[in-house]
Every structure is written in C-alpha cells, then in structure tokens.
Amino acid sequence: REPGAEPSPRRQSQQRCNSPAPFALCAAMFGLLCVVALAAPAASVVAPASSQGASMLQTWSAALDSAGAGDTPVTRVVNLLKEMSKTLQKEMDEDEALYKELSCWCNDGNWEKSNAIEASTAKIAELDSSIDSLGAQSAQLNTQIKELETEVASDKKALAEATALREKQLAEFHDMEKDSIQAVENLK
C-alpha cells in the first residue's frame, strides 16, 4: 500500500468498528432498548392512571408477548414503536375531531350568547324608557285624580246645598198651597 493512498473500504469499516466511540454508542443504544423491552412487561402489572395509559400498556404488552422467539430485542422495540405510532395517530385524529366539534359548539354558543346579550340590552333600554314614560303618565294621572276628587267634593257640596234649597222651596210651596187651598175653601 502506498503512503497517502486511501484505505480500502474493508479497512475503513474495520477501523470504524474498532474505534471506541461507535462501540460505546451501539452499547448504550442496545442497553436502552433492553431496559425498555424488559420494563414493558413489568409495567403491565402496575395499574394505569388513565384509559390512555392502559391502552398503551396493553399495546406494549401485546407487542412484546406476541413477538416470536426469533425476534431480536431491537426488532421487538421497533415493532413496539410502530404500534405506538399507530395508536398515537389514531388518538390524534380522535382529539382533532373532538376539538372541531367543541370549537364549533363554543363558537355557536358564543355567537348565541352575544346575540342574547345584545337583545337583552336593547330590551332593557326599551323597558327603561317605558318605565320613565309610564312614570310621567302616572304622575299626570295622579294629578288629574286629585283635581277630579276636589271637583267631585265641590259638586257634592253644591248638590247638598241645592237639595237643601229645593227642600226649603218645596216646604214653602206646600205651605203656600195649603194656604191657597184653605183660602179657596173659605171662599166657598
């Protein structure tokens, strides 16, 4: 081999595999995958806090238990991640549909409530003006009632005076009539 010439591809792969950095990285990833693979069956024993957590644990347990004996832990974890991705996508679609429904409900409710508030405010203003006009009309009618009561009282007083005068005149007429009748009889 010439100095300064590029090493062969086989030599390059040997150098990469022999270097400590890739080996440490591979070992760390393998360790992490083994921890996840071993922790999943143990996690299925613990009671989940929510239905979403329960479905995730069931998915993990089913994926790990159904894996064949020939599957490697990496394959099992990759399959588990694929299942988790499907589950998350399904839940995301359900959440999006629920969001659309609830946002529509909120927008409709907000529109209806704002219209109801505007209508009620207009009705309040109308009723306030009606109360003011009816209050003025009530004051006017109370004044008219008082005037009519004084007029009725004076009319009753005048009627009583006229009745007394008529009774007096009637008494005088009866007296004169008796006198006239007596005089006519005396002339006979």
Side-chain angles (χ1 to χ4, degrees):
R1 190 179 94 136
E2 296 177 19
E6 247 186 73
S8 68
R10 182 178 170 160
R11 181 83 176 153
Q12 286 177 347
S13 76
Q14 285 177 350
Q15 285 176 349
R16 274 184 277 180
C17 288
N18 290 336
S19 68
F23 179 72
L25 181 62
C26 289
M29 287 183 64
F30 181 73
L32 177 64
L33 291 175
C34 288
V35 168
V36 169
L38 293 175
S44 66
V45 176
V46 177
S50 67
S51 63
Q52 187 177 18
S55 79
M56 288 299 240
L57 286 178
Q58 279 182 331
T59 304
W60 291 344
S61 295
L64 290 174
D65 291 342
S66 68
D71 289 343
T72 63
V74 173
T75 306
R76 289 171 56 190
V77 169
V78 168
N79 290 338
L80 179 63
L81 291 174
K82 287 179 184 178
E83 288 295 319
M84 286 172 54
S85 174
K86 289 177 187 176
T87 303
L88 288 174
Q89 182 63 41
K90 182 181 127 195
E91 289 176 356
M92 188 172 69
D93 293 341
E94 290 171 358
D95 288 345
E96 186 175 336
L98 181 63
Y99 172 77
K100 286 180 182 177
E101 181 181 333
L102 292 179
S103 66
C104 178
W105 178 78
C106 289
N107 290 337
D108 288 346
N110 187 20
W111 181 77
E112 289 172 358
K113 296 299 177 193
S114 63
N115 283 347
I117 288 170
E118 288 175 13
S120 297
T121 304
K123 184 75 172 178
I124 288 170
E126 178 184 331
L127 291 174
D128 282 343
S129 65
S130 176
I131 287 170
D132 291 341
S133 67
L134 291 175
Q137 186 178 6
S138 174
Q140 179 185 2
L141 291 175
N142 285 334
T143 306
Q144 284 181 347
I145 288 171
K146 287 180 183 175
E147 289 174 1
L148 290 174
E149 284 176 348
T150 57
E151 188 177 326
V152 166
S154 67
D155 287 348
K156 283 184 179 180
K157 185 179 176 185
L159 179 64
E161 290 174 359
T163 305
L165 180 64
R166 294 291 176 225
E167 286 175 0
K168 182 181 171 187
Q169 289 175 348
L170 181 64
E172 289 175 2
F173 173 74
H174 282 304
D175 287 340
M176 277 181 24
E177 185 180 25
K178 281 181 190 177
D179 287 340
S180 297
I181 291 175
Q182 187 75 21
V184 169
E185 294 226 359
N186 285 338
L187 290 174
K188 279 191 191 181

